[in-house]
Amino acid sequence: MTTAYQKLTHSFTRLHRYQHLMSIAGWDQMTFMPPEGRAARAAAMGEMATLMHRTLTDPQMRDWIAAARSETLDPLEQANLTEMERAWRNEAVLPEDLVEARVLASSRCEHAWRTLRQANDWAGFLENFREVVTLSRRAARLLADASGVSPYDAMLDLHEPGMRSHQLDNIFGAVKTWLPGMIATARERQSHTSPILPRGPFPIESQRALGVKLMERLGFDFSAGRVDVSIHPFCGGVPEDVRLTTRYREDNFTQSMMGIIHETGHARYEQNLPRDWLGQPLAQARSMGIHESQSLSFEMQIARKLDFLTELAPLLNVHFGRQEAFDPANLLQLTTRVRPGLIRVDADEMTYPAHIMLRYEIERALIDGEIEPEDIPALWNEKMQAYLGLDTRGNFKDGCMQDIHWPEGIFGYFPSYALGAMYAAQFFATIRRSAAESDSFAQATDWLKQNIWIQGSRYATDELVSRATGETLNPAHFRAHLQSRYLGG
Amino acid sequence: MTTAYQKLTHSFTRLHRYQHLMSIAGWDQMTFMPPEGRAARAAAMGEMATLMHRTLTDPQMRDWIAAARSETLDPLEQANLTEMERAWRNEAVLPEDLVEARVLASSRCEHAWRTLRQANDWAGFLENFREVVTLSRRAARLLADASGVSPYDAMLDLHEPGMRSHQLDNIFGAVKTWLPGMIATARERQSHTSPILPRGPFPIESQRALGVKLMERLGFDFSAGRVDVSIHPFCGGVPEDVRLTTRYREDNFTQSMMGIIHETGHARYEQNLPRDWLGQPLAQARSMGIHESQSLSFEMQIARKLDFLTELAPLLNVHFGRQEAFDPANLLQLTTRVRPGLIRVDADEMTYPAHIMLRYEIERALIDGEIEPEDIPALWNEKMQAYLGLDTRGNFKDGCMQDIHWPEGIFGYFPSYALGAMYAAQFFATIRRSAAESDSFAQATDWLKQNIWIQGSRYATDELVSRATGETLNPAHFRAHLQSRYLGG
């Protein structure tokens, strides 16, 4: 006889296979799809989203979950059931018409955003964006009512299960007390040095070859994944076939190179999720914050260090011709320069949290109904002034219209970026303590594999982090990391 | 109130969207997917095939079709309903477990075939192939029982609706009486001329650029499609986003070039199916034979003519450097050489039908249970000897194991290739009659667009062809075409 738990695993395997087709279609949309394919693709993916919602909210699902709770399950099955229930609950409270309306509105808004951002057209954007906010608030309210948290916290929980805004307020509140001062001190220190800039052009074919070399060195499995080009780099696909992307500029290779290293961190997490459980919720990455901690482990903790850059320098000489700028010490200076700027994705490690705090504060107020979409530009400017001393008035393109997340109806995701940096610093503090000699790449990735990657969603985030590091999230490690790297300890 | 017909259109739109994801995943599988993605992809596509079968065979479908028959429909809706009913009937007779078993067995066999063919391992192949034949026979029997035709005819009908083997026997029986003699005469005539061979290498980047140029010239819409590389060239994707592929060899550009021209014929048909009906069965290509008639219209009727080759010659000079071999008259000789060979996909226009007749005779006997899989090699050799005078004993690789169709469980498809050549000849006989001056490219494609492409599946094949040419399929046009081209009229 098939148990209720087994029936659930079959349904989730089916969902995983549907998601496989969605992931590949989504990857294709960003990489190779010609423009006229857009409407048909949106319709096909929308249809699939509806089907997945319907599959997950099938009335039987509730009964199976209830029945499975009283079946005898081992701890892994129990953890899997917990994740199934979470996935089910988050979908079951949303009516199908709302799910469909959100897909359509955000697809329309995201598409409009692509041109409106270029045109710096905030008013035009607002017309499309209002509907996205209205529908997102409605979804957040339904999720909130079901879980007893605030609407924004309900959204946050989708990406960062267990995290609440009062924790973020504490974390970011503390960061705000020391970050502006630390940025000022670091900039003052760096004003005495001027790294040599590499001279381009850097042919795209050479950048591509270098990227592949680095991915191989960083352990990416090319028999189970690819790297391609897209305007907005991402790591997608499925664990068995990870698709990451980058973009190239002939006048600058570091952006693409660091982007590839970043995405390779995401990719190794995906490629090392628990194989025996693939297809089940247990085998999914723990949270977006933990996912980002892996990309930032690669990009910030591993790649921006002298031992890695010493290995990198000869590769740069081979691919771009010998340059003085490729001296490891110079590369370190280049990749750790602190420079407040308007664009989040171009931000350095130290100013990055400011970009996140700003977005977090605005999107929380927006979803909780404390502000309206038209209030965003003024708030954006006010906070950019306060955190980074930059004026963004009238510059919507490089201000509140710069990210794809809000146009796509994604709220509660931004904090994951900052949390990821904090988790990464905490992990590497532990790795350094436990390392016999140096924190070599092999030691570090073995630690990440054992403690994070193969754990999937077995434990709640707090437990995962405690088991790995002996304590729950402690932002002091991030501050110490910045201090050590930028203020010399 | 929603009519039964409207309910049907909604279901078929949904199926079309599912098919969109399948097509893109299938295209990706052939072009970019890394090897380790195979199992997960097969599982995902198998799941989707099951879902589509289930959607099409939903018990409500029968009732809606019955009800729609007595609703007031205009002629186009009526034609759409006819196609819906055909699609439904062909699926409804197949139980889900048989559908799933066929997907699994053919996926396994096709995968094994890739290496076993290289190893010339017929015995190893047979082990995988038996199951495919058993399951295909079972499906053919169920389809046959429901429609009152023979099992093979039931398979044939899936690809070439309305066509029956007794018609093919007549057509191919006639071809057999004149083809061997015509091949001998053509070869004798060609023995007095020896075209100059182009000298390679032909850099792949130049071939790619030439291919894109030709596709543009042939009217391919790159805003709604792409060209990529795969081992087995095909035309896939969806009408809004047509994906064709080719393969390149540095020592030979004509294969890839003619392949691209061929696939562009398929692509233009897809890109010009009736836009207002996209998503409905009415907007699908009429049959595989008609589809092939479009690719062969481009490859054989348009491209292998002096006016096209005169336009091509300067392009070759630009892309590969000037060569005497690129003289139009020489190109015509090169592309119309008659040379019996072992490989179907490399065959010239005149010997090609022999490859098809051979396969047709074997697969019909196989599906109707007159022979067993182990009988194939001897029959293959016997027929290759009879039709083309070639010995294939012991050479399974370039003999009965050369095609992907049978390993994939596709039977009844091969005749479409020969029928396509015949339809193309018939269409161009009409185009020449109706052309004011010369049969220019624009005139020809306009005729094809009006008479074939935008008609979709509005008419049954016989009616489509009669309306376009004044008569149903008449193989005399194909014979006349060969005579005119190869025997000087």
Side-chain angles (χ1 to χ4, degrees):
Chain A
M1 205 201 75
T2 317
T3 66
Y5 174 77
Q6 284 167 332
K7 285 176 187 151
L8 285 169
T9 63
H10 295 156
S11 288
F12 276 89
T13 295
R14 196 156 82 241
L15 280 164
H16 172 73
R17 290 171 176 168
Y18 294 159
Q19 182 54 46
H20 177 124
L21 297 174
M22 283 286 260
S23 297
I24 296 301
W27 165 86
D28 179 81
Q29 190 174 29
M30 294 298 188
T31 50
F32 292 119
M33 188 183 79
E36 291 298 320
R38 202 191 68 82
R41 180 66 52 87
M45 292 181 71
E47 191 70 59
M48 196 53 158
T50 301
L51 173 71
M52 292 178 71
H53 175 77
R54 217 172 272 172
T55 305
L56 199 46
T57 58
D58 186 299
Q60 290 191 298
M61 205 64 99
R62 179 192 301 267
D63 304 337
W64 289 341
I65 288 173
R69 277 203 214 100
S70 50
E71 287 172 356
T72 310
L73 302 177
D74 70 26
L76 286 172
E77 291 168 336
Q78 191 57 58
N80 196 30
L81 179 61
T82 301
E83 291 304 310
M84 287 170 167
E85 201 170 340
R86 196 171 70 79
W88 168 78
R89 209 182 321 106
N90 286 336
E91 284 292 321
V93 298
L94 303 179
E96 188 173 310
D97 60 348
L98 177 59
V99 171
E100 283 175 12
R102 284 189 79 199
V103 168
L104 285 176
S106 52
S107 164
R108 200 159 40 226
C109 184
E110 186 265 335
H111 184 65
W113 166 78
R114 287 171 187 261
T115 40
L116 294 172
R117 185 196 169 198
Q118 291 308 316
N120 198 42
D121 183 355
W122 168 252
F125 177 70
L126 207 50
E127 275 175 46
N128 291 279
F129 186 52
R130 272 186 230 282
E131 175 78 356
V132 171
V133 172
T134 302
L135 295 169
S136 296
R137 280 174 176 169
R138 196 176 303 161
R141 167 55 60 199
L142 289 167
L143 288 162
D145 287 348
S147 59
V149 299
S150 73
Y152 181 75
D153 278 4
M155 285 294 205
L156 179 64
D157 196 82
L158 296 177
H159 310 291
E160 211 53 47
M163 183 58 70
R164 298 290 173 262
S165 47
H166 68 82
Q167 290 170 271
L168 291 177
D169 289 339
N170 283 339
I171 293 167
F172 292 147
V175 170
K176 275 190 235 179
T177 64
W178 53 260
L179 188 64
M182 195 189 277
I183 292 173
T185 311
R187 298 198 68 195
E188 158 61 20
R189 283 173 60 107
Q190 294 187 350
S191 68
H192 306 300
T193 57
S194 52
I196 306 159
L197 294 176
R199 284 184 318 277
F202 307 97
I204 284 167
E205 213 19 74
S206 308
Q207 290 194 52
R208 221 195 74 80
L210 171 69
V212 168
K213 261 247 148 22
L214 286 174
M215 287 171 69
E216 283 170 351
R217 172 68 187 94
L218 295 172
F220 183 86
D221 179 0
F222 273 100
S223 71
R226 301 179 43 87
V227 55
D228 294 282
V229 173
S230 72
I231 296 172
H232 301 278
F234 66 95
C235 175
V238 291
E240 304 92 334
D241 179 3
V242 175
R243 307 286 175 101
L244 64 81
T245 67
T246 186
R247 57 181 162 191
Y248 300 108
R249 280 175 49 179
E250 285 234 312
D251 62 341
N252 182 330
F253 72 90
T254 43
Q255 272 188 5
S256 174
M257 184 184 75
M258 283 300 176
I260 279 182
I261 293 170
H262 179 98
E263 301 301 340
T264 302
H266 284 306
R268 288 215 61 188
Y269 189 7
E270 289 289 318
Q271 288 187 329
N272 288 282
L273 287 165
R275 303 305 282 187
D276 296 346
W277 285 86
L278 285 187
Q280 293 301 310
L282 183 81
Q284 286 174 10
R286 178 58 277 180
S287 77
M288 289 305 108
I290 296 297
H291 225 313
E292 195 67 12
S293 79
Q294 299 311 296
S295 52
L296 292 174
S297 286
F298 277 56
E299 186 194 350
M300 298 299 178
Q301 300 293 334
I302 291 170
R304 281 171 164 84
K305 296 201 78 165
L306 209 51
D307 55 349
F308 181 86
L309 297 170
T310 304
E311 222 188 298
L312 176 67
L315 287 176
L316 297 181
N317 286 324
V318 165
H319 285 85
F320 303 128
R322 188 168 294 275
Q323 293 195 25
E324 216 183 324
F326 299 157
D327 174 76
N330 189 66
L331 287 173
L332 185 60
Q333 283 187 29
L334 277 171
T335 55
T336 57
R337 275 188 299 181
V338 176
R339 290 200 170 170
L342 296 174
I343 305 294
R344 176 183 61 85
V345 297
D346 295 339
D348 59 77
E349 183 178 22
M350 192 182 284
T351 57
Y352 197 98
H355 292 274
I356 298 307
M357 295 186 303
L358 156 106
R359 284 158 176 78
Y360 159 65
E361 288 161 359
I362 293 175
E363 69 177 11
R364 192 193 53 183
L366 186 68
I367 292 300
D368 285 346
E370 295 160 15
I371 62 165
E372 291 306 317
E374 51 267 38
D375 302 327
I376 294 176
L379 279 168
W380 192 280
N381 183 60
E382 181 189 313
K383 290 172 193 290
M384 278 301 273
Q385 289 279 10
Y387 302 158
L388 294 174
L390 297 171
D391 188 343
T392 66
R393 276 173 297 180
N395 187 353
F396 309 106
K397 180 176 180 298
D398 300 328
C400 58
M401 280 175 77
Q402 70 183 267
D403 297 301
I404 197 172
H405 303 63
W406 293 346
E408 274 194 328
I410 299 173
F411 299 94
Y413 188 107
F414 280 122
S416 307
Y417 295 113
L419 295 172
M422 294 172 184
Y423 283 126
Q426 185 164 338
F427 295 156
F428 273 75
T430 306
I431 290 169
R432 272 191 300 275
R433 275 202 310 275
S434 62
E437 322 121 65
S438 68
D439 50 345
S440 78
F441 176 72
Q443 277 180 317
T445 50
D446 187 56
W447 188 94
L448 293 172
K449 180 174 181 176
Q450 299 307 324
N451 288 279
I452 309 296
W453 302 344
I454 64 169
Q455 303 299 335
S457 286
R458 176 167 186 180
Y459 305 113
T461 308
D462 273 355
E463 188 177 353
L464 176 80
V465 175
S466 291
R467 283 173 172 266
T469 69
E471 57 183 335
T472 57
L473 177 62
N474 177 358
H477 296 291
F478 179 60
R479 183 181 182 182
H481 158 72
L482 293 180
Q483 242 158 350
S484 153
R485 173 168 290 170
Y486 296 91
L487 308 186
Chain B
M1 205 202 75
T2 318
T3 66
Y5 174 78
Q6 284 168 332
K7 286 175 186 153
L8 285 169
T9 62
H10 295 156
S11 289
F12 276 89
T13 296
R14 196 156 81 241
L15 281 164
H16 173 73
R17 290 171 176 169
Y18 294 159
Q19 182 55 45
H20 177 125
L21 297 174
M22 284 286 260
S23 297
I24 296 302
W27 165 84
D28 179 81
Q29 190 175 31
M30 294 299 189
T31 49
F32 292 120
M33 188 183 80
E36 292 298 320
R38 202 190 67 83
R41 181 65 52 86
M45 291 180 72
E47 191 71 57
M48 196 54 158
T50 301
L51 172 71
M52 292 178 71
H53 175 79
R54 217 172 272 172
T55 305
L56 200 45
T57 59
D58 185 299
Q60 290 190 296
M61 206 63 99
R62 180 192 302 268
D63 305 336
W64 289 341
I65 289 174
R69 277 204 214 99
S70 50
E71 287 172 357
T72 309
L73 303 177
D74 70 25
L76 286 173
E77 291 169 335
Q78 191 56 57
N80 195 30
L81 179 61
T82 301
E83 291 303 310
M84 288 170 166
E85 200 170 343
R86 196 171 71 78
W88 168 76
R89 209 182 320 107
N90 286 338
E91 284 292 320
V93 299
L94 302 179
E96 188 173 309
D97 60 348
L98 177 59
V99 172
E100 283 176 12
R102 284 189 79 198
V103 168
L104 285 176
S106 52
S107 164
R108 202 159 40 227
C109 184
E110 186 265 337
H111 185 65
W113 165 78
R114 286 171 188 263
T115 40
L116 295 172
R117 184 195 168 196
Q118 291 308 315
N120 198 41
D121 183 354
W122 168 253
F125 177 69
L126 207 50
E127 275 176 46
N128 291 279
F129 186 52
R130 273 187 228 282
E131 176 78 355
V132 172
V133 172
T134 303
L135 295 170
S136 296
R137 280 175 175 169
R138 197 175 303 161
R141 167 55 61 200
L142 289 166
L143 288 162
D145 288 347
S147 58
V149 299
S150 74
Y152 180 76
D153 278 5
M155 285 293 205
L156 179 63
D157 196 82
L158 296 177
H159 309 292
E160 212 52 46
M163 183 56 72
R164 299 290 173 261
S165 48
H166 68 83
Q167 290 170 269
L168 291 178
D169 289 339
N170 282 340
I171 292 167
F172 291 148
V175 170
K176 274 191 237 180
T177 63
W178 53 260
L179 188 64
M182 195 189 277
I183 292 173
T185 311
R187 297 199 69 197
E188 158 59 19
R189 280 173 62 107
Q190 295 188 349
S191 69
H192 306 301
T193 57
S194 52
I196 306 159
L197 294 176
R199 285 182 317 277
F202 307 97
I204 284 167
E205 213 20 74
S206 306
Q207 291 195 50
R208 220 193 76 79
L210 172 68
V212 168
K213 261 249 151 18
L214 287 174
M215 287 171 70
E216 283 169 352
R217 173 68 186 92
L218 296 172
F220 183 85
D221 179 0
F222 273 100
S223 71
R226 300 179 44 86
V227 55
D228 294 284
V229 172
S230 73
I231 296 172
H232 301 277
F234 65 96
C235 175
V238 291
E240 303 93 333
D241 178 4
V242 174
R243 306 287 175 101
L244 64 81
T245 67
T246 187
R247 55 182 162 191
Y248 300 107
R249 279 175 50 179
E250 285 235 312
D251 62 341
N252 182 330
F253 72 90
T254 42
Q255 273 188 6
S256 174
M257 184 184 74
M258 283 298 176
I260 278 181
I261 293 170
H262 178 100
E263 301 302 341
T264 301
H266 284 306
R268 287 215 61 188
Y269 189 8
E270 289 289 317
Q271 288 188 328
N272 288 282
L273 286 165
R275 304 303 283 186
D276 296 346
W277 284 87
L278 284 187
Q280 294 300 308
L282 183 80
Q284 286 174 8
R286 177 58 279 180
S287 77
M288 290 305 109
I290 296 296
H291 226 311
E292 195 67 15
S293 79
Q294 299 312 296
S295 53
L296 292 174
S297 286
F298 277 56
E299 186 194 350
M300 298 300 178
Q301 300 293 334
I302 291 170
R304 281 170 164 85
K305 296 200 77 166
L306 210 51
D307 56 348
F308 181 85
L309 297 170
T310 303
E311 224 188 298
L312 176 66
L315 287 176
L316 297 181
N317 286 325
V318 165
H319 284 86
F320 302 128
R322 189 168 292 275
Q323 293 195 26
E324 216 183 325
F326 298 158
D327 174 76
N330 189 66
L331 287 173
L332 185 60
Q333 282 186 29
L334 277 171
T335 56
T336 55
R337 275 188 299 181
V338 177
R339 290 201 170 171
L342 295 175
I343 305 294
R344 176 182 61 84
V345 297
D346 294 340
D348 59 78
E349 183 178 22
M350 192 182 282
T351 58
Y352 198 97
H355 291 274
I356 297 307
M357 295 186 301
L358 156 105
R359 283 158 177 78
Y360 159 64
E361 288 161 358
I362 292 175
E363 70 176 11
R364 191 193 52 184
L366 186 68
I367 292 301
D368 285 346
E370 295 160 15
I371 62 165
E372 292 305 318
E374 50 268 37
D375 301 326
I376 293 175
L379 278 167
W380 192 281
N381 183 59
E382 182 189 313
K383 290 172 192 290
M384 278 302 273
Q385 288 281 11
Y387 302 156
L388 294 175
L390 296 172
D391 189 344
T392 66
R393 277 174 295 179
N395 187 353
F396 308 105
K397 180 176 180 299
D398 300 328
C400 58
M401 282 175 75
Q402 70 183 265
D403 296 302
I404 198 173
H405 304 62
W406 293 346
E408 274 194 327
I410 299 173
F411 299 94
Y413 188 106
F414 279 122
S416 306
Y417 294 114
L419 294 172
M422 293 172 185
Y423 283 126
Q426 185 164 339
F427 295 156
F428 274 74
T430 305
I431 290 169
R432 271 191 301 274
R433 273 202 311 275
S434 63
E437 322 123 66
S438 69
D439 49 346
S440 78
F441 176 72
Q443 277 179 318
T445 50
D446 187 57
W447 188 94
L448 293 172
K449 181 174 180 175
Q450 299 308 324
N451 287 280
I452 310 296
W453 302 345
I454 65 169
Q455 303 300 334
S457 286
R458 176 168 186 179
Y459 306 113
T461 307
D462 274 355
E463 187 176 354
L464 177 79
V465 175
S466 292
R467 282 172 172 267
T469 68
E471 57 183 336
T472 57
L473 177 62
N474 177 359
H477 295 291
F478 180 60
R479 184 181 182 183
H481 159 71
L482 293 180
Q483 240 156 351
S484 153
R485 174 168 289 171
Y486 295 92
L487 309 186

